[in-house]
Amino acid sequence: MKQLLFIVLYIISLVGVNLAQDVPLFIKTESATIGLPKVLVDRWGCSAADIDRNGWPDLFNNKWRGRLDSEIYMNYNGVFTDIYGNSPELRAAEWEGNATRTPVLVDFDNDGDRDLMIGFDYSHHMFRNDNNVFVNITQQLGLINKVPGFVTTYGYEQSAWIDWDNDGDLDCLVAQTNNPNFLFYRNDGDKFVDIAAQVGLTGANEMGSDGDRGFNTTRMQWIDWDLDGDPDLSAGWKLFRNDGGHLTEVSAAVGFLPFHRIRFFDWFDYDLDGDFDFFLCGYEDRDEVWRNDNGTFVNATQETMLDLFTDNGQASLNVGDFDNDGDQDCFMSINDHEDIEAMLLNEEEGGVRSFISIAQFAGFADLIGDRKGAAILDYDMDGLLDILSPSLDYGTLVYHNTGLTPPNNWIGFDLWGSKSNKDALGSLVTLYAGGKKQIRYTKAAQCWKMQDNPYVHFGIGKAAAIDSLVIRWPRGDVETFTNLEINQYHKIVELASTAVEKKKRQAPSRFNLEQNYPNPFNPSTTIVYELEQAQEVSVTVFNLFGEEIAKLVDQKQAAGLHRVVWNGMDQQGRPAPAGLYLYQLRTGQATLSRKMVLVQ
């Protein structure tokens, strides 16, 4: 059945353009062109956040085992610079710690930049960000790094951050392999105090022998699944309710009975009914979605056709609205060295929601090999969610999202707490637009070995405006905003008199690639582009599989406006078949891409 669906989709994509235009197209960008050199070392996971709060999402690309360096890439105007060498204390900890796990970027001290929690085989560490130099303050804060008795397998797996005691700063939950007790650090400013026993987490972590993969309840996320205004805990297959500061396991009581052997999970409102549902990637080729029906959970795996998806080797689960149509989709990095990446579009037809596998039509075809983990970040701030994935074979894979033709609309937000924690983690954000209600919950990290950029992003389809945005801040204050410009990121400061500030893209104004005209076209079309300086430049046409069809320009050109015509022929002078094509402008500093449609 799954293969039949793939064949039908493929045939339709060849004979018509309507479906092809409904699939977002991702282009594998040459990473070096945006400042990410091809460093071929063993990696596992990556984390994205705006570390220096300059309005551009940054990247922590972490190494796996051995005396190797991770990378800290700072982003400005869509180009990255590695600053890892500025932090010798971080390097010393990584070299001593062997395997690096789940770096989480959070502003624990509310000073306006993001700090780093990171773990290794037998320890976890806190690094304060002092002007983009990461300083080890683990002992100063009193973090506990004692191995719990005699164990053959042990390791820090993940931290998850929330303002548990509602005092305006972030507290930290930590899980470790073969430690039956979670560590729950209350942030008292100059010290972290373990309160796990006080809140009911003694003995709550499952023991196991899955080695470096941890065990199933070490996958953690804070989520207000019952929408009562306080943070609850999701830990693998266990679900805890916050009962006035005590965490009560309620899994069986609310029908929450997912598969136990969980690789990754996330909470999001896939069916747009106003509450958060649970999606998991499991071992044994098993993925599930559990629908939240007003606090009772129902297994919706079959009704959403998720049971048809059986790819093995999931190495991430990244949730976002990749096609900007108003509902959230799923990307999975696949690390079995045989299958391509996985992209599941969340589609609704006749009132029925389904997850449809479209990776081979979205630009991921034929790319196999080592890929371990991924992070969502709109690195060029164009409103289309891009994906970065670390790889031993490729260095850093950059999947640049070029969206749909014609594009859908979107809106995004960078939240700053003032009364609440600076990162505004634990905010419930509700958007009303185009007859839909969408919700998001701000969190860090998403799951094991991954953190997506915490900007709040909504696709709104063809809606020309939003009706309203409602933010319930972590400490309970509620603000409503209207008349916000779409196709724009906004900085919103909690309870500020001038709360909304547009975040303008600062990309060079004279490096530009226009939409071709006419489009669709037959037999020829004109491509217009602008260069800010004299430089080597290429303009190339690719098909959906990333194969080069025609090289239109490959030479040094002067600054200014340029035009080139494509006659619809391939390199051998043969007419190209009708369909969707990508044309790409590349210089030594940057790459821009757009789509065009050749018709019969």
Side-chain angles (χ1 to χ4, degrees):
M1 178 65 178
K2 186 176 101 170
Q3 295 301 319
L4 177 61
L5 286 172
F6 283 166
I7 293 169
V8 172
L9 284 170
Y10 181 67
I11 293 172
I12 294 176
S13 74
L14 291 179
V15 302
V17 300
N18 289 336
L19 179 61
Q21 292 177 319
D22 290 335
V23 174
L25 181 61
F26 289 80
I27 303 304
K28 188 174 82 68
T29 298
E30 183 62 41
S31 61
T33 64
I34 60 171
L36 301 172
K38 185 179 290 186
V39 181
L40 301 181
V41 300
D42 195 14
R43 304 187 181 283
W44 228 130
C46 56
S47 300
D50 186 357
I51 294 172
D52 54 1
R53 303 304 287 262
N54 71 340
W56 295 87
D58 309 307
L59 181 71
F60 190 103
N61 205 12
N62 60 287
K63 63 94 174 175
W64 187 211
R65 297 185 179 92
R67 295 170 67 85
L68 303 168
D69 291 347
S70 294
E71 292 132 7
I72 304 175
Y73 290 112
M74 307 301 287
N75 180 6
Y76 182 69
N77 287 346
V79 178
F80 294 87
T81 302
D82 186 10
I83 64 164
Y84 182 88
N86 297 342
S87 302
E89 295 181 14
L90 175 57
R91 171 178 282 136
E94 282 206 283
W95 281 31
E96 180 182 353
N98 188 30
T100 298
R101 296 175 174 87
T102 317
V104 183
L105 297 160
V106 291
D107 188 0
F108 90 95
D109 53 3
N110 283 336
D111 67 349
D113 55 24
R114 287 189 166 98
D115 312 291
L116 173 67
M117 167 71 89
I118 196 168
F120 310 106
D121 285 347
Y122 297 102
S123 62
H124 55 286
H125 297 257
M126 191 76 215
F127 291 86
R128 186 182 63 233
N129 183 351
D130 289 348
N131 195 26
N132 289 338
V133 175
F134 289 89
V135 178
N136 195 339
I137 57 171
T138 302
Q139 290 186 343
Q140 176 183 325
L141 290 178
L143 269 64
I144 302 168
N145 279 315
K146 182 181 178 181
V147 178
F150 178 77
V151 294
T152 57
T153 301
Y154 183 68
Y156 158 95
E157 297 301 332
Q158 188 195 336
S159 65
W161 294 75
I162 200 73
D163 183 6
W164 172 258
D165 52 1
N166 203 29
D167 65 349
D169 57 25
L170 289 171
D171 310 298
C172 175
L173 182 66
V174 173
Q176 299 161 303
T177 306
N178 279 326
N179 185 348
N181 303 316
F182 289 99
L183 300 174
F184 194 2
Y185 294 116
R186 186 184 65 223
N187 182 353
D188 288 348
D190 58 346
K191 289 289 183 182
F192 279 11
V193 178
D194 184 15
I195 59 169
Q198 299 175 32
V199 303
L201 290 179
T202 300
N205 188 26
E206 292 297 311
M207 304 289 283
S209 57
D210 278 9
D212 291 323
R213 293 180 177 83
F215 205 63
N216 308 300
T217 53
T218 61
R219 276 70 165 156
M220 306 179 301
Q221 189 178 117
W222 292 106
I223 181 71
D224 186 7
W225 61 267
D226 55 4
L227 296 177
D228 65 350
D230 54 26
D232 309 299
L233 176 62
S234 178
W237 53 271
K238 290 186 175 183
L239 188 60
F240 297 85
R241 185 181 61 221
N242 185 347
D243 291 334
H246 186 274
L247 287 166
T248 305
E249 191 196 341
V250 295
S251 309
V254 298
F256 185 77
L257 302 169
F259 183 54
H260 281 204
R261 292 180 55 78
I262 295 175
R263 295 177 188 261
F264 302 92
F265 71 80
D266 204 352
W267 289 81
F268 64 104
D269 184 14
Y270 84 89
D271 54 358
L272 300 182
D273 67 347
D275 51 25
F276 293 106
D277 311 297
F278 180 80
F279 191 111
L280 73 86
C281 299
Y283 292 89
E284 302 172 21
D285 304 342
R286 186 164 170 177
D287 305 300
E288 295 179 351
V289 60
W290 287 76
R291 189 179 66 244
N292 183 351
D293 286 348
N294 297 315
T296 300
F297 291 86
V298 177
N299 190 339
T301 304
Q302 287 190 337
E303 70 184 58
T304 59
M305 297 173 62
L306 184 60
D307 59 319
L308 300 180
F309 176 75
T310 58
D311 287 356
N312 188 30
Q314 295 93 330
S316 77
L317 170 62
N318 306 87
V319 174
D321 191 351
F322 294 106
D323 53 2
N324 281 342
D325 68 344
D327 49 37
Q328 290 179 282
D329 315 299
C330 298
F331 172 82
M332 301 173 195
S333 174
I334 302 294
N335 187 47
D336 66 357
H337 297 265
E338 295 179 0
D339 289 332
I340 65 173
E341 312 283 36
M343 173 71 71
L344 303 181
L345 278 194
N346 180 359
E347 296 295 319
E348 187 269 336
E349 185 68 36
V352 177
R353 286 273 166 188
S354 301
F355 289 100
I356 307 298
S357 180
I358 53 92
Q360 65 191 96
F361 311 109
F364 300 106
D366 300 327
L367 196 154
I368 60 175
D370 179 88
R371 294 99 70 201
K372 294 193 185 81
I376 296 174
L377 68 163
D378 182 6
Y379 76 87
D380 53 357
M381 296 289 284
D382 64 353
L384 298 167
L385 298 179
D386 309 303
I387 302 167
L388 272 69
S389 178
S391 167
L392 174 61
D393 294 335
Y394 303 99
T396 302
L397 287 164
V398 180
Y399 300 122
H400 181 217
N401 186 355
T402 65
L404 306 182
T405 301
N408 282 328
N409 295 319
W410 60 278
I411 193 168
F413 305 97
D414 178 16
L415 303 186
W416 289 63
S418 55
K419 179 180 175 182
S420 301
N421 67 87
K422 188 73 74 175
D423 285 350
L425 297 183
S427 296
L428 178 66
V429 185
T430 306
L431 182 82
Y432 298 89
K436 293 181 178 180
K437 173 186 176 181
Q438 300 185 57
I439 59 174
R440 305 284 191 270
Y441 192 76
T442 54
K443 50 204 172 187
Q446 264 70 25
C447 198
W448 183 57
K449 297 191 178 179
M450 53 174 284
Q451 178 182 359
D452 292 328
N453 183 39
Y455 280 14
V456 180
H457 170 274
F458 296 94
I460 58 172
K462 302 305 179 187
I466 71 162
D467 300 315
S468 63
L469 175 80
V470 181
I471 301 176
R472 187 194 72 196
W473 296 94
R475 301 189 74 180
D477 293 287
V478 177
E479 292 187 274
T480 300
F481 304 90
T482 57
N483 301 316
L484 297 178
E485 184 178 341
I486 64 170
N487 299 325
Q488 177 72 57
Y489 283 102
H490 301 267
K491 175 182 175 181
I492 300 185
V493 179
E494 179 185 20
L495 304 177
S497 57
T498 56
V500 179
E501 172 188 327
K502 295 179 183 178
K503 298 177 72 67
K504 293 292 185 183
R505 295 178 65 201
Q506 302 176 47
S509 60
R510 295 187 60 204
F511 180 66
N512 188 39
L513 178 63
E514 299 290 341
Q515 185 65 53
N516 66 300
Y517 65 91
N519 188 48
F521 68 95
N522 184 327
S524 63
T525 188
T526 299
I527 297 169
V528 177
Y529 57 96
E530 191 172 8
L531 304 177
E532 60 179 340
Q533 62 188 21
Q535 56 196 307
E536 294 289 336
V537 60
S538 67
V539 178
T540 310
V541 178
F542 298 92
N543 64 18
L544 282 179
F545 301 101
E547 299 168 338
E548 182 175 313
I549 300 301
K551 179 82 74 174
L552 307 181
V553 176
D554 189 13
Q555 64 186 54
K556 186 172 183 177
Q557 292 186 324
L561 201 64
H562 298 268
R563 290 178 175 83
V564 64
V565 174
W566 184 40
N567 60 6
M569 300 290 184
D570 65 15
Q571 301 279 42
Q572 287 73 42
R574 301 169 301 196
L580 184 67
Y581 290 87
L582 174 89
Y583 60 100
Q584 182 183 84
L585 170 66
R586 172 174 290 181
T587 69
Q589 290 75 42
T591 300
L592 296 174
S593 302
R594 285 184 178 271
K595 290 179 290 183
M596 58 185 173
V597 177
L598 172 61
V599 295
Q600 296 285 4

